[in-house]
Amino acid sequence: MIDFSLSEEQKQLQDLSKEFTNNEIKPVAAEYDRKSEFAHEVIKKAWELGLMNVQIPEKFGGMGLSVLDDCIIGEELSVGCSGISTSMMSNMLAQGPLIVAANDAQNKKFLGQMVEECAFCAYAVTEPDAGSDVAGIKSTAQKVGNDYVLNGQKMWITNAAQAKWFFVLAYTDQNAGYKGMTGFVVPADLPGITIGKHEHKLGQRSSDTRGVTFDDVKLSAENRLGNEGDGWKIAMSAFDHSRPGVAAGAVGLARRAMEESIMYASERKTFGVPIAKHQAVSFMIADMAMNVDAARHLVYKSAWKTDKGERNTIEAAFAKAFAADTAMKVATDAVQVFGGYGYSAEYPVEKLMRDAKIFQIYEGTSQIQRVIIARELFRRQ
Ligand SMILES: Cc1cc2nc3c(=O)[nH]c(=O)nc-3n(C[C@H](O)[C@H](O)[C@H](O)COP(=O)(O)OP(=O)(O)OC[C@H]3O[C@@H](n4cnc5c(N)ncnc54)[C@H](O)[C@@H]3O)c2cc1C
């Protein structure tokens, strides 16, 4: 049986997120972007309303909502500003490895903190010489007795300066390939951690992106997630939970670009008629609607599958690649619909186009999603 309707609770969640976006995010998004400033106040209000960290299990004080619920929220917030929603949703990316692999004591301590206060965490995997090629990381956690000494340099880490703790992937055995990688939860206030400068980015400027250096950081076995050698599996399975949410953010951005295009095309006149009456323009907008809807269906299916406890690797890759490519195309076409005004920061579509690009890069590029899809297809032969 297929049922495309949302539950009453999901509709309420959607309405709450929509209202929050209209009242709290849309009015300030351009200003935070202009100043490249982290939107602390906005995000604290969202946390108070229960729009953050929603997948933390009830057992650890969280709401225990589903991946699909998270996607519904993520789409709405991203309609307002995907820079602000990325700051919020990145918590989920870092929490994913704990939800997948941490023991109760670790979850109580590190996830519990996110329930008690509006706090942030960060997923620290990428390095200067290794992004797509995760196995190329150089960070090491050398075992000394029962403890570990962490060394390495991470790059492009969202929420780095805000984080109370990091999920860090490092080699405990460099001779064992990806099976030599181990995941750690690392409190941000440990000696030996240096947070880098704020990166000035093309888009999503209000999100905080920096490098993080670990220099002889002492960790105990209590900081290790799962067993030695489990790191790769943990880091990758977290993506199955987080990618639908990232893709939902791309859908939200694309929907906003489409909505702005519809409003503008209805008002702007050329040759005596609204530009919506020119088929070249209205067809561009028809394509936007078709692709936004298709992207949302892929998002919902990938979320639904993981919520059922099934492996969603290929569906999450479909959703992430298609929604990211859709966001870029729709935002670019929206600038076209606006003509010269679309190129000006006075109108929202210029920011949407800048913000859209990163969806094709972070959490696995659009090319890497296709690598995953192809691998999954051929693995099934
Ligand atoms: C704003 C921002 C926020 C980020 N947040 C985080 C974060 O919170 N945590 C984190 O760990 N990382 C984060 N990242 C890093 C991000 O995930 C990486 O930038 C991304 O995975 C790509 O890696 P790279 O930049 O090293 O590019 P590369 O891996 O060097 O790729 C360069 C180009 O080559 C292509 N390419 C590479 N390999 C292949 C292949 N096998 N087949 C086809 N094409 C290929 C890529 O698609 C890309 O187009 C963030 C990055 C940015 C810019």
Side-chain angles (χ1 to χ4, degrees):
M1 192 181 81
I2 294 178
D3 181 356
F4 289 106
S5 55
L6 299 180
S7 69
E8 276 313 308
E9 291 77 18
Q10 286 168 332
K11 283 186 203 154
Q12 282 169 13
L13 206 55
Q14 194 175 44
D15 288 345
L16 179 69
S17 313
K18 201 173 279 186
E19 200 183 321
F20 184 79
T21 292
N22 286 335
N23 296 338
E24 306 291 344
I25 302 185
K26 274 188 183 173
V28 296
E31 187 62 5
Y32 278 108
D33 173 73
R34 197 181 58 75
K35 294 197 278 192
S36 279
E37 189 180 312
F38 192 79
H40 276 290
E41 280 180 31
V42 178
I43 296 175
K44 184 147 188 288
K45 282 184 199 164
W47 177 83
E48 284 163 358
L49 280 175
L51 295 175
M52 257 177 96
N53 310 319
V54 299
Q55 290 185 54
I56 293 181
E58 286 173 307
K59 191 174 168 189
F60 307 113
M63 285 174 275
L65 297 188
S66 65
V67 177
L68 180 56
D69 296 332
D70 214 358
C71 289
I72 292 167
I73 298 171
E75 177 181 333
E76 295 305 326
L77 298 178
S78 194
V79 167
C81 175
S82 62
I84 293 177
S85 69
T86 289
S87 305
M88 293 164 61
M89 304 299 276
S90 286
N91 264 16
M92 176 54 218
L93 177 60
Q95 289 160 7
L98 275 72
I99 292 173
V100 168
N103 59 39
D104 280 3
Q106 289 168 325
N107 273 330
K108 219 169 170 180
K109 180 172 174 186
F110 293 103
L111 296 184
Q113 184 178 28
M114 307 277 136
V115 175
E116 281 159 24
E117 57 176 320
C118 178
F120 298 89
C121 46
Y123 182 94
V125 170
T126 303
E127 300 189 355
D129 293 326
S132 305
D133 182 12
V134 176
I137 63 166
K138 296 197 176 83
S139 291
T140 56
Q142 198 191 350
K143 197 155 190 186
V144 183
N146 284 329
D147 297 335
Y148 296 88
V149 178
L150 175 66
N151 279 289
Q153 200 185 348
K154 299 294 180 179
M155 195 169 179
W156 305 119
I157 307 307
T158 304
N159 286 349
Q162 318 297 328
K164 295 275 187 199
W165 52 264
F166 300 96
F167 165 72
V168 178
L169 191 64
Y171 275 107
T172 41
D173 180 356
Q174 284 169 292
N175 298 318
Y178 70 91
K179 287 189 176 161
M181 291 175 163
T182 303
F184 294 90
V185 54
V186 180
D189 58 0
L190 289 183
I193 299 179
T194 309
I195 309 295
K197 68 170 175 53
H198 175 73
E199 297 287 347
H200 288 281
K201 308 188 293 291
L202 173 71
Q204 298 202 346
R205 288 183 184 159
S206 74
S207 74
D208 176 59
T209 319
R210 298 166 192 259
V212 184
T213 305
F214 300 95
D215 190 10
D216 283 340
V217 177
K218 292 190 177 49
L219 302 175
S220 73
E222 285 163 19
N223 299 107
R224 195 187 66 223
L225 295 176
N227 296 316
E228 279 184 23
D230 286 350
W232 170 272
K233 208 170 60 192
I234 293 169
M236 295 304 132
S237 55
F239 280 139
D240 292 350
H241 289 256
S242 63
R243 273 189 186 136
V246 176
V251 172
L253 185 151
R255 196 183 99 205
R256 172 77 181 275
M258 177 188 74
E259 288 168 356
E260 294 290 343
S261 299
I262 293 170
M263 281 190 288
Y264 188 80
S266 308
E267 283 166 15
R268 175 74 174 171
K269 286 187 177 156
T270 65
F271 304 95
V273 293
I275 58 170
K277 295 279 179 202
H278 303 304
Q279 201 176 63
V281 174
S282 64
F283 275 18
M284 223 180 333
I285 296 174
D287 279 345
M288 291 180 187
M290 202 159 56
N291 285 310
V292 168
D293 210 42
R296 187 182 299 106
H297 280 90
L298 289 174
V299 169
Y300 280 12
K301 185 172 177 200
S302 67
W304 168 82
K305 214 166 168 196
T306 198
D307 284 336
K308 278 187 15 169
E310 291 178 21
R311 191 160 176 265
N312 74 340
T313 306
I314 196 165
E315 289 83 4
F318 286 159
K320 166 70 173 51
F322 190 79
D325 294 350
T326 294
M328 195 64 236
K329 169 89 173 101
V330 172
T332 307
D333 285 351
V335 170
Q336 195 65 27
V337 169
F338 274 66
Y341 295 103
Y343 204 63
S344 159
E346 292 292 310
Y347 289 82
V349 290
E350 172 263 357
K351 174 177 179 298
L352 292 172
M353 186 174 164
R354 286 190 287 104
D355 287 349
K357 186 63 203 171
I358 191 60
F359 283 108
Q360 294 180 308
I361 298 174
Y362 63 15
E363 283 225 34
T365 66
S366 287
Q367 289 73 38
I368 291 303
Q369 301 310 319
R370 286 167 172 83
V371 169
I372 294 169
I373 292 164
R375 192 186 59 211
E376 289 290 309
L377 291 174
F378 289 106
R379 198 176 59 85
R380 291 172 185 183
Q381 291 302 304

